Amino acid sequence: PILFKSEYISTTGAPSGVIDILIFGLYLLAVKQNDNKLYFSNTNNLTSWDSLDFISTESNYDYLVTVKTIWNELYLFGTKTIEVWFNDPTTTFSRYDGAYSDIGTLSKDSIVSIGNDFYFLGSDGMVNVFNGRNRNIISTQINSELSKYSNLSNSFAYKLYLKGRYFYCITFVTENVTWAYDITLKRWVRFGFYDTLNAEYKLFVATSSALDRDNNTVYLGDNNDTGKVFKLDKEIYQDDSNEIRCEIK
C-alpha cells in the first residue's frame, strides 16, 4: 500500500482556509476561500511563507476558486472572471494585458485542460472554452437543456480519449446527466447507463478517465464508489454487464 502523510505548514506567514494549491516552478501557490488573492511561498522553499507575498485580481474584484497552469502561464479562475498571469523575474508575477475573461466559473471541478485550452462551465451557465486570449461558448446545442437544470454548481468534468478524438465530459450531479462534447466534430452527445435489471437509464458509469498511451487503452473510474476500474473496448457492447443502448434523435 501507498501511505500518505499530511502535515500543516506551521509558519505564521502561511495562509489559512486554503481551498486549492498548485506547484508552479519554484513556488507553492494557494487559494483561500472567499478571497481575491493568490498566495505564494518563498522561492524554492514550499514550507516558508511571508504573509505579504500574494497577488490580487486586478480587472475586477472577484473571489478566486482555483488556479491552473498551461505553458508556464497561470490561470486565475474566479466566480466572475478569469485572469492570466506569468512569472516575472522583476515582480515575481505579472498579469498579461488583454488576457482576461469577464466570465468566471460556476464549478472549479468543471475545469479541464485539453491541448492548449481550458473547457469549463461558465458563470453564465454555459460551457465555455478559453485559450488565454479568446473565450467562446460551445454549448449552444444544449443550452436549452442546461437552462432547465436546478443546480449547476456541483457539476464535474474530465476529458475522454475515444477513437482518436478527445471529448469534454461534464456531469450534472443533481440532474443525473452527463454530456460529452466531441472537440473535433464540435458536437454534443448525452452519455448514460442503462440499468437492465430495473429497465431505466441512470447516470453514466464514469467519473474520471485515464489514457495509457503505450498500450492505447482508456480506463474509466466508477461513479458508485465500488473501487471498480473499467476498460473501454470497442468490441464489448456492455456497461458493467448491462447492455449498451443508443438513441438517435
Side-chain angles (χ1 to χ4, degrees), residues 101-137:
S101 167
D102 59 357
I103 295 295
T105 182
L106 286 177
S107 170
K108 71 175 184 179
D109 294 325
S110 73
I111 304 169
V112 176
S113 63
I114 304 177
N116 298 327
D117 301 327
F118 282 107
Y119 294 77
F120 64 99
L121 179 65
S123 53
D124 54 1
M126 295 180 279
V127 181
N128 292 255
V129 59
F130 184 57
N131 66 5
R133 307 300 180 269
N134 299 291
R135 179 186 57 81
N136 295 295
I137 297 170

Side-chain angles (χ1 to χ4, degrees), residues 9-22:
I9 298 175
S10 59
T11 177
T12 56
S16 59
V18 171
I19 58 174
D20 208 0
I21 60 173
L22 173 72

